[in-house]
């Protein structure tokens, strides 16, 4: 009886939120005492990242009624993680973050099923991401955010009036922390700004002059960047540095330590080496908890409609007191990732060379000497010569085949256009639709 009472008490506030009307609810909100159970049964959530913020997100989502959760992370647990990533223990060092985090939450929250994925987000097929109703991000990398953003926006389709088709919208909730600062934002592709629309919000990475690194280092960071940017290439000519390879990171740390000792500089540690190389700012546990709570609440609001969602970017600063601000940023209508792009209709028999030629005459494009990319892959590059030679063989192939024989897809083209009587370079997003080809169940626009 005690267990039943505890279980009912655990969900009391969530059930109350989901079973009553209010002045701020969504127009589609249908309150019901069974809504939490329906969310748990039918909604699949993907959490990207199982670090400091990711651990909090898994806990908060599980305690908000989400029962079908997947989590993906490529990192393993390190001793330095244990002060703030509360799901991990000393005996877990060296194990997959995703696997251990999933196991710990399932041990504490009955009925939740968390499927861990130990690997890179880029290694997953697009079909994997299509299985989720919402994606929640707990990342510390601009590149990873940008990739997931492009994937989610890739499912987005527009109607004939360039309005987003609701069934194709893949909502995202993005959280991030930097010391005592953090943010939470809601991304509804086609409606609110996507990550690329506001990428200017992220400050550029601090870079040190090479002359300072090579001749007059003054800080531990200078010694680390010397080992990373200069010494590595001297010793490992032609071998790329992998920031996610522990052996590579250890080598940089040891070389930086030698450099620091030579110039009498103290403070080089392995954790600092990771932070400088990966541009990581130390995390604060309380900041992670606050931002995670905001993200989990937004996820619940999106799937249930129990309240209006955040509009659309919340910032938190706990450095001196507590300061919270919400900014309603405006979406870039011509965004190359979440925007509709220009529609180009083609016969399936059109070759890539013919497609490039047609772009010169298309009234909405008028682009010459176009290079073409698709989902990050180069279909044809006008320059440099080495890439032109590598992609030249694609010119004789049909674009239909090169795009995987789908009814419609998106490509990006860059070339020369005329603006105000002057020739200038331009990058455009094109929606390619093949005439007479019916859309299959896996066809999508990759934006």
């Amino acid at each position: 009886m005690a267990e039943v009472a505890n279980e009912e008490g655990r969900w009391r506030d969530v059930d109350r939120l989901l079973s009553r009307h209010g002045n701020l609810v969504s127009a589609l909100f249908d309150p019901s005492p069974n809504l939490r159970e329906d969310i748990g049964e039918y909604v699949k959530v993907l959490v990207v990242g199982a670090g400091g913020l990711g651990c909090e997100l898994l806990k908060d989502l599980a305690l908000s009624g989400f029962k079908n959760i997947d989590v993906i992370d490529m990192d393993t647990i390190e001793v330095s993680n244990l002060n703030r990533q509360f799901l991990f223990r000393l005996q877990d060092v060296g194990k997959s973050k995703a696997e251990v985090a999933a196991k710990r939450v399932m041990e504490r929250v009955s009925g939740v099923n968390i499927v861990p994925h130990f690997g890179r987000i880029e290694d997953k097929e697009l079909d994997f991401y299509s299985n989720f109703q919402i994606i929640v991000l707990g990342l510390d990398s601009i590149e990873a955010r940008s990739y997931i953003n492009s994937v989610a926006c890739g499912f987005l389709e527009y109607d004939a009036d360039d309005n987003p088709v609701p069934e194709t919208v893949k909502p995202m909730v993005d959280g991030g922390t930097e010391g005592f600062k953090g943010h939470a934002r809601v991304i509804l592709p086609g409606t609110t700004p996507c990550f690329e629309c506001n990428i200017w919000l992220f400050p550029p990475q601090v870079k040190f002059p090479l002359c300072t690194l090579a001749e007059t280092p003054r800080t531990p960071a200078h010694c680390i960047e010397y080992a990373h940017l200069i010494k590595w290439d001297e010793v490992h000519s032609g071998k790329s540095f992998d920031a996610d390879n522990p052996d590579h990171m250890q080598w940089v740390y040891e070389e930086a330590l030698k450099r620091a000792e030579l110039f009498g500089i103290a403070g080089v540690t392995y954790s600092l080496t990771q932070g400088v190389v990966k541009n990581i700012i130390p995390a604060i546990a309380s900041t992670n908890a606050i931002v995670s709570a905001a993200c989990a609440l937004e996820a619940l609001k999106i799937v249930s409609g129990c309240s209006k969602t955040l509009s659309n970017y919340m910032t938190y600063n706990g450095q001196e007191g507590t300061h919270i601000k919400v900014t309603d940023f405006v979406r870039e209508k011509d965004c190359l990732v979440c925007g509709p792009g220009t529609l180009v209709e083609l016969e399936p028999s059109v070759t890539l060379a013919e497609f490039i030629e047609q772009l010169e005459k298309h009234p909405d494009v008028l682009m010459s000497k176009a290079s073409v990319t698709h989902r990050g892959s180069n279909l044809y590059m006008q320059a440099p010569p080495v890439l032109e030679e590598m992609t030249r063989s694609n010119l004789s192939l049909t674009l239909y085949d090169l795009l995987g024989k789908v009814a419609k897809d998106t490509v990006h083209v860059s070339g020369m256009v005329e603006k105000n009587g002057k020739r200038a370079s331009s990058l455009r997003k094109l929606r390619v639709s093949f005439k007479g080809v019916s859309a299959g169940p896996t066809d999508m626009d990759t934006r």
Side-chain angles (χ1 to χ4, degrees), residues 77-304:
I77 299 165
E78 300 175 3
V79 173
S80 61
N81 301 146
L82 302 182
N83 71 322
R84 63 192 181 279
Q85 299 176 19
F86 69 96
L87 295 177
F88 307 142
R89 306 290 182 268
L90 187 59
Q91 63 267 28
D92 299 324
V93 171
K95 298 178 182 177
S96 160
K97 286 186 176 182
E99 293 173 358
V100 174
K103 177 175 177 289
R104 289 277 150 72
V105 174
M106 287 191 291
E107 289 173 349
R108 297 296 298 272
V109 184
S110 60
V112 65
N113 180 49
I114 303 178
V115 180
H117 303 271
F118 179 34
R120 290 160 43 88
I121 55 177
E122 297 88 351
D123 293 339
K124 291 293 185 182
E125 298 289 338
L126 291 178
D127 285 346
F128 168 77
Y129 295 101
S130 69
N131 293 324
F132 302 98
Q133 280 72 47
I134 188 170
I135 300 175
V136 184
L137 308 182
L139 295 164
D140 59 4
S141 162
I142 293 177
E143 292 77 15
R145 280 191 179 93
S146 183
Y147 178 80
I148 294 295
N149 179 73
S150 66
V151 169
C153 292
F155 297 104
L156 180 64
E157 296 184 12
Y158 286 85
D159 60 22
D161 297 320
D162 282 346
N163 295 314
V165 178
E167 310 88 71
T168 66
V169 174
K170 184 79 65 177
M172 290 178 286
V173 179
D174 173 44
T177 63
E178 292 183 352
F180 287 99
K181 300 177 182 180
H183 77 261
R185 65 173 158 185
V186 171
I187 300 176
L188 304 175
T191 302
T192 68
C194 77
F195 179 76
E196 294 297 329
C197 290
N198 295 146
I199 197 166
W200 52 268
L201 287 169
F202 290 85
Q205 184 174 346
V206 176
K207 297 188 180 298
F208 304 107
L210 288 180
C211 59
T212 300
L213 302 181
E215 299 172 7
T216 56
R218 297 183 298 275
T219 68
H222 289 164
C223 300
I224 293 167
E225 286 290 52
Y226 170 82
H228 172 216
L229 300 175
I230 298 176
K231 195 68 176 179
W232 177 271
D233 287 336
E234 289 180 358
V235 178
H236 304 89
S237 180
K239 183 178 181 180
S240 298
F241 177 80
D242 183 358
D244 295 312
N245 186 317
D247 294 333
H248 290 194
M249 192 65 72
Q250 181 67 28
W251 187 92
V252 169
Y253 163 62
E254 292 173 356
E255 289 298 318
L257 205 55
K258 295 176 186 177
R259 181 78 169 171
E261 291 173 355
L262 180 64
F263 285 87
I265 298 172
V268 173
T269 64
Y270 184 78
S271 60
L272 179 63
T273 301
Q274 288 181 302
V276 171
V277 172
K278 293 186 174 184
N279 193 32
I280 297 173
I281 296 174
I284 306 297
S286 58
T287 309
N288 287 334
I290 292 169
V291 170
S292 172
C295 290
L297 179 60
E298 292 306 316
L300 183 64
K301 286 155 66 175
I302 288 172
V303 301
S304 68

Side-chain angles (χ1 to χ4, degrees), residues 361-431:
K361 303 174 183 177
H362 194 288
D364 296 326
V365 182
L366 299 175
M367 179 180 290
S368 61
K369 296 183 178 180
S371 296
V372 186
T373 61
H374 173 243
R375 300 185 184 180
S377 298
N378 297 324
L379 297 186
Y380 180 70
M381 301 299 290
Q382 298 278 355
V386 63
L387 281 180
E388 194 283 329
E389 183 178 355
M390 290 173 60
T391 56
R392 190 183 303 159
S393 60
N394 286 338
L395 290 173
S396 60
L397 303 177
T398 66
L399 190 61
Y400 178 66
D401 286 334
L402 289 170
L403 300 189
K405 297 182 177 181
V406 296
K408 54 185 176 180
D409 212 330
T410 299
V411 298
H412 290 82
V413 296
S414 58
M416 303 300 295
V417 298
E418 190 168 314
K419 294 181 179 179
N420 301 322
K422 296 182 179 180
R423 302 280 289 171
S425 60
S426 176
L427 176 65
R428 297 289 300 277
K429 175 181 180 180
L430 306 180
R431 284 183 291 159

Side-chain angles (χ1 to χ4, degrees), residues 47-75:
V47 175
V48 185
L53 184 56
C55 285
E56 293 281 354
L57 285 169
L58 288 172
K59 176 259 294 179
D60 288 344
L61 290 169
L63 292 175
S64 298
F66 295 95
K67 293 184 177 180
N68 295 306
I69 305 172
D70 284 47
V71 57
I72 182 169
D73 197 301
M74 66 177 290
D75 287 342

